[in-house]
Amino acid sequence: MAALNGRPRSVLRMRTLAGQVFLLQLAIVVLLVAAAMAALVLQSRADSEREARNRSVAVAETFANAPGIEEALESPDPTKVLQPRAEEARKRSEVDFIVVLNPDGIRYTHPLTDRIGKKFVGELKRALAGGVVTEKITGTIGPLVQAVVPVVGRDGTVVGLVSAGITIERVSGVVEDQFPLLFGSAGAILLLTMGGTALVSRRLRRQTRGLGPTEMTRMYEHHDAVLHAVREGVLIVGGDGRLLLANDEARRLLGLPADVEGRAVTDLGLDPVITALLVSGRIATDEVHPVGDRLLALNQRSTDQSGGPAGSVTTLRDTTELQALTGTVDLTRGRLKLLYDAGTEIGTTLDVVRTCEELAEFAAARFADFATVDVVESVLRGEEPTVMTAGVEMRRTAFSGTPKDTGLYPLDSMIRFVSTTPMGSGLLKGEAVLEADLVTFSGWQQQHPERARQLVEYGIHSMIAVPLRARGVILGVAMLWRSAKPEPFEDEDLSLAEELVSRAAVSIDNARRYTREHTMAVTLQRSLLPRVLPEQNAIDVAYRYLPAHAGRGGLGGVGGDWFDIIPLPGARVALVVGDVVGHGLHAAATMGRLRTAVHNFSTLDLPPDELLWHLDELVARIDQDEAVDSAGAGVTGATCLYAIYDPASGRCTMARAGHPQPVIVHPDGTVIFADVPGGPPLGLGGLPFETLQVQLAEGSRLVLYTDGLVEGPRRDIGEGLTLLRRTLADHAERAPEETCEAVLGALVPEPARDDIALLVGRTRRLAAADLADWDVPSEPAAVSRVRADVSRKLAEWGLSDEAFTTELILSELVTNAIRYATGPIRVRLIHDRSLTCEVSDHSSTSPHLRQAATMDEGGRGLFLVAQFAARWGTRYTNDGKVIWTEQTLPAAPQRDSPPAS
């Protein structure tokens, strides 16, 4: 089998040129060997017949001329004398018969004695005439040759005849014995010839790449067509430096004559650089060389890289038009890249001034020598721009370039463009202005003649002014100036500048809109947060609130982090920190609703876990309402930490809903995270909240914060908590204000990416002298004893003026407790900023204020309490309730309290 392109082919169906040549050579060799063998066989047969004729003639003549043959023929019995002689001669001469005849043709001898005396079969006339007769006949013993020779007597007459014969088979047997050798030699010759032919064919197949005649013909036809029709010149140079081939395009490009093949490259009269390249044979790739008025791109490769003959192949391509087109494409590509780079470098922040600076810096570095940006003042404030009118002042917001003695308006100056100048007119129309040659003073100098003269003297020779237009309104104008670059601005530069400035104008307008919305959102958020600290003596508090910085990758600048300090009855105080998921106006508004809700719930004096439960219900309802109004976009939850500190007992009760744990710094410097049970974030619902009650020594610090303080893009919350603990430990002796500064300095070294709320409180304790309590028996007579004890205590506190009111309030409250409540009754007075009276019992029934009718005997006691007390209410405990009242003191004691941060 043979193979062509990986497909097996039958030997009889070979299509490759080498295979067909092999078959043809093999057929010729076989035919030659067969012809030679046939010639040998025919020759051997002819030789055998000749040999038979010669031998039969020689034997017959020898026997006819033998001595005594005449006497034997004349004897009475010739057969008796001649038969023995004839047989002996036959055997010695190795013929088939020797027959002696009388002139009448009667046999005297014969190898077969039964034929003696019979007539001889054959031609005798010529022999009787004295001649020798040879003839080929087919006898009983097969094809043979017999000769008849006369026996001439002494008198010259023919006295008898002698015939000798031999079969051709006997003579050819000797030759046929040599046939095996002959055929073996022929086979060996055939095998050797086939082997040589196979080697030649293999070499031919390798040279022709296994192609068939049709394919080779088509290949050479295509090769010739492509070589002469292609629009690329092809030169093949041999290893001796002579040109072997040049196609039509190469002749045209180089101006070569028709008889160029075979000539040395150095004799062609080509450009010396081209000649050196062709002679060197080095590798060249897209080398551009001028040839006459053309630019030719040359590629050259060696032909002996894969075992081929020495030399090189060179291609030539006319790139004259392509070179010009490439220059245009390069220019367009450069301008597109400039616009792309501008998109990445201009508008990186949502700040109007910074965006203007980026535009000026980019334009001066990549497009001009100086660049200025002037913006309407209202745009810098974030206000909506108005329709451009003549005489509108603009502030030079950005200036890029060396401003020394240029004559340009300095940075931050106010500019009013004259409407009669090209810049002023173009600004009113919203059209760009190109001043290619400022030296001609074509009217632009009317803006400021002195500055114009100074500007030209400095060397500024060309200018483009493009209005900053966004959403159909002009925000300002960008002006580009050239001095160091000698080329003036052209129309193409004007279109590029318009595209560049229009893109920057959108970024500036986006920054303006963000400035306006951010200002509104921050104002809203600030209005929802505490502005001053409430007056209370339970805890010394400092706080910090940092909104996210949008310009540094923040999430909008306004978020839902919040905090609060709420004074509670009984000199207690509630500390609250929360975080609404999300950023922007929606988060700020939701935060305000939650803060208001916490204030309302705190007036009910609820414990932290119950307050969070009510807050959770509220967030769930808000989420449902938002989902309906916004097609499924809800609040998605919030977190909160609520703590109540009682300075009378030093107890702090805390509960949290998905919020980070608070930190407690003990007076000895020990820092711990309060293990407040972690409830779910607000809005999820279904799970209860648990409280943690801890005893705090006076001077302990309670630190509440949002996750923005401890989390960041470069650290996880675990690292942040560790850093917070270490910072608090290092500043354990500092006041709350200093602690806030230290914590923010350590954990927020750069503008925050998320909102941060931080609340640091240092606990205080009420002095024992400012507390008084009594157990009251459940009998009416005890009311008078309570009034007497209270009067004495108020006298000790210097509050005798409040005795009457206090006795009246306590009389009503104690009487109601004795009449309607159960269990032990206890009275407590707290002397703080106000005078607090508390009556506790084990009943869960709360008194209600009602309007008594004119004839009613009861129902006026609680009304009187409400009239004399500044505030009153009920607080439920685990074993009952506490009814409390607060009375404003004319001169409340002032404790040390820091100003709001």
Side-chain angles (χ1 to χ4, degrees), residues 320-658:
T320 306
E321 297 180 359
L322 182 61
Q323 194 77 8
L325 181 60
T326 301
T328 304
V329 171
D330 291 341
L331 179 61
T332 304
R333 184 188 300 114
R335 296 193 171 188
L336 289 176
K337 186 177 187 305
L338 185 142
L339 292 176
Y340 172 79
D341 293 342
T344 60
E345 298 181 24
I346 301 175
T348 59
T349 64
L350 291 173
D351 183 85
V352 174
V353 175
R354 181 54 193 156
T355 304
C356 293
E357 292 173 349
E358 290 173 345
L359 170 60
E361 293 169 359
F362 183 86
R366 302 283 294 275
F367 192 62
D369 297 313
F370 295 92
T372 61
V373 180
D374 308 320
V375 180
V376 178
E377 188 72 17
S378 60
V379 174
L380 296 174
R381 296 193 297 265
E383 300 175 3
E384 286 289 343
T386 58
V387 177
M388 181 61 61
T389 59
V392 174
E393 283 193 331
M394 297 186 185
R395 182 178 296 277
R396 178 136 294 178
T397 309
F399 189 121
S400 182
T402 305
K404 182 178 180 180
D405 299 331
T406 59
L408 297 172
Y409 287 99
L411 187 66
D412 206 38
S413 59
M414 299 300 295
I415 305 172
R416 180 183 289 108
F417 287 95
V418 179
S419 60
T420 57
T421 63
M423 293 88 72
S425 176
L427 188 61
L428 292 175
K429 297 177 182 179
E431 299 175 353
V433 176
L434 168 63
E435 289 288 344
D437 189 3
L438 296 177
V439 180
T440 60
F441 294 105
S442 59
W444 64 272
Q445 75 279 3
Q446 297 177 10
Q447 175 67 32
H448 197 298
E450 180 61 26
R451 288 187 178 275
R453 183 188 58 77
Q454 185 179 357
L455 185 146
V456 172
E457 290 178 355
Y458 180 80
I460 297 177
H461 58 80
S462 186
M463 180 271 294
I464 289 178
V466 183
L468 290 166
R469 177 191 292 271
R471 300 176 179 88
V473 180
I474 297 177
L475 311 177
V477 61
M479 305 183 72
L480 312 178
W481 314 80
R482 275 188 179 174
S483 61
K485 296 181 177 65
E487 305 85 4
F489 286 120
E490 301 176 349
D491 291 337
E492 293 183 355
D493 297 321
L494 179 64
S495 62
L496 178 61
E498 288 179 315
E499 180 67 22
L500 174 65
V501 173
S502 65
R503 296 189 181 191
V506 174
S507 299
I508 292 173
D509 190 57
N510 289 337
R512 177 197 63 79
R513 292 161 64 90
Y514 168 77
T515 300
R516 182 192 61 182
E517 295 177 3
H518 182 261
T519 302
M520 294 172 56
V522 169
T523 302
L524 172 62
Q525 188 179 39
R526 293 290 188 185
S527 67
L528 296 176
L529 291 172
R531 298 186 179 183
V532 295
L533 291 175
E535 294 182 354
Q536 49 84 30
N537 292 331
I539 194 166
D540 182 8
V541 180
Y543 67 87
R544 292 292 186 274
Y545 174 77
L546 298 179
H549 196 290
R552 296 294 183 88
L555 303 176
V558 175
D561 289 18
W562 56 284
F563 65 93
D564 221 330
I565 302 102
I566 305 173
L568 297 178
R572 296 170 303 139
V573 66
L575 303 179
V576 191
V577 172
D579 185 2
V580 176
V581 175
H583 289 77
L585 289 175
H586 179 74
T590 304
M591 175 269 290
R593 298 169 71 178
L594 294 183
R595 179 170 178 258
T596 302
V598 170
H599 269 276
N600 292 335
F601 292 144
S602 67
T603 60
L604 301 177
D605 214 349
L606 298 175
D609 54 342
E610 290 188 28
L611 185 142
L612 290 181
W613 183 85
H614 287 290
L615 204 60
D616 178 68
E617 290 290 315
L618 174 63
V619 173
R621 288 196 298 272
I622 294 175
D623 200 13
Q624 292 175 0
D625 296 341
E626 293 293 336
V628 173
D629 294 340
S630 304
V635 178
T636 70
T639 65
C640 183
L641 174 65
Y642 188 81
I644 297 177
Y645 174 67
D646 186 357
S649 62
R651 287 191 299 270
C652 183
T653 305
M654 295 175 282
R656 65 188 179 104

Side-chain angles (χ1 to χ4, degrees), residues 246-260:
N247 70 342
D248 297 344
E249 184 68 8
R251 297 171 189 270
R252 184 183 70 84
L253 295 176
L254 298 177
L256 298 176
D259 58 345
V260 71

Side-chain angles (χ1 to χ4, degrees), residues 161-185:
L161 300 171
V162 177
S163 175
I166 186 171
T167 60
I168 295 176
E169 181 180 1
R170 178 183 293 270
V171 178
S172 62
V174 177
V175 177
E176 290 177 355
D177 290 341
Q178 303 298 321
F179 277 179
L181 178 61
L182 293 176
F183 282 110
S185 300

